[in-house]
Amino acid sequence: MNKYVLLFVALVQFSFRLDAQNHWRVLPPATDKTLYRLFFLDSLRGWVAGFDGTILRTTNGGLTWQTQNSGVTSDVHEIFMLNDRFGWALTFEHFVDTATW
């Protein structure tokens, strides 16, 4: 009896995994710039960050993206948001004339 229960559980889990893959959609790219990080608060609200200070925001699960002004021209390597209005982004700035960070 235990064998049949384990087999049933394994088949159910496998079928859920197959079904989950059928729900992915290919969307057009949000930008032509390289993106390094993605952060979502929930299934609709998210941000991506990357090359040359790029930060984009979506409120519809990635169907459309709006550019947000990061105020920097160096690459944004990390992004974390507390809510729709407050968050952090990490970038590195190298000052060429002083050879310091």
Side-chain angles (χ1 to χ4, degrees):
M1 182 68 176
N2 272 345
K3 290 180 191 177
Y4 295 114
V5 171
L6 289 175
L7 179 61
F8 177 74
V9 170
L11 288 174
V12 169
Q13 287 180 342
F14 182 71
S15 68
F16 282 134
R17 288 184 184 148
L18 288 178
D19 187 50
Q21 293 179 3
N22 293 331
H23 296 289
W24 288 95
R25 284 190 291 169
V26 176
L27 299 174
T31 181
D32 60 347
K33 297 194 177 188
T34 301
L35 300 172
Y36 301 119
R37 285 293 178 248
L38 170 74
F39 183 86
F40 269 77
L41 287 173
D42 54 34
S43 64
L44 298 176
R45 301 173 296 157
W47 291 260
V48 293
F51 187 74
D52 279 348
T54 300
I55 295 180
L56 304 170
R57 178 178 188 243
T58 185
T59 56
N60 57 14
L63 294 175
T64 59
W65 294 87
Q66 302 83 35
T67 301
Q68 293 197 298
N69 182 10
S70 67
V72 298
T73 57
S74 53
D75 300 350
V76 178
H77 292 276
E78 292 286 344
I79 190 163
F80 177 83
M81 300 298 294
L82 288 174
N83 56 40
D84 287 326
R85 297 194 52 185
F86 299 104
W88 293 268
L90 175 67
T91 183
F92 301 102
E93 183 99 19
H94 183 263
F95 300 100
V96 178
D97 58 340
T98 62
T100 61
W101 292 90

